[in-house]
Amino acid sequence: SNPPFYTTDIVGDSTKRTTARQTESLPFELLLYSVKKLLDPNGVFSCIIPFEEEEHFLGLAKQINLIPFKITRVKGRKDRPIKRSLLAMSYHQKHYCEEELIIEHERHQYTEDYKRLTKAFYLKM
């Protein structure tokens, strides 16, 4: 899932794109309630969220017994702060893994890890 995750309002911008990106249209609590309702007992729920929301989101997930087994923290570049968290969770304890993904060495010079991860989605990767 790539849920809406911006918590700040953009005043005066009522475009569909902005609405779709705001948590107001799908709060984390509602998303996780839906996961609880729909996820197969042996299924996996994966999502991307802002790094700043990781602790809060994992706390909400814990309330519905979702256990993280893989967390990948994403940086635009090595010298930049972590920007996103990729989370994989299930109802069962699995081998736990934490990773870091760096997208670029320099502008438009992508890391091999990023290319490997996204090559199926881009024609020129």
Side-chain angles (χ1 to χ4, degrees), residues 23-83:
T23 57
E24 184 177 291
S25 63
L26 180 61
F28 289 153
E29 293 84 356
L30 180 57
L31 173 64
L32 288 168
Y33 169 79
S34 299
V35 169
K36 182 179 179 179
K37 245 175 102 171
L38 300 170
L39 186 65
D40 183 87
N42 295 309
V44 170
F45 171 64
S46 299
C47 65
I48 179 171
I49 60 169
F51 173 68
E52 305 83 47
E53 297 289 338
E54 180 183 293
E55 188 176 331
H56 172 67
F57 193 90
L58 290 175
L60 293 171
K62 185 177 182 179
Q63 292 175 15
I64 63 165
N65 300 315
L66 276 176
I67 304 164
F69 64 88
K70 185 172 184 181
I71 298 177
T72 304
R73 295 185 179 100
V74 182
K75 291 181 170 186
R77 295 189 191 166
K78 188 175 187 171
D79 61 341
R80 303 281 167 85
I82 298 169
K83 191 166 185 154

Side-chain angles (χ1 to χ4, degrees), residues 6-24:
Y6 290 103
T7 55
T8 57
D9 291 329
I10 300 173
V11 179
D13 190 348
S14 62
T15 64
K16 289 179 182 179
R17 182 174 190 257
T18 299
T19 301
R21 298 172 80 192
Q22 299 294 314
T23 57
E24 184 177 291

Side-chain angles (χ1 to χ4, degrees), residues 109-120:
Q109 293 179 7
Y110 301 103
T111 64
E112 289 305 313
D113 287 340
Y114 182 74
K115 288 182 198 177
R116 216 176 358 268
L117 181 66
T118 61
K119 68 181 174 186

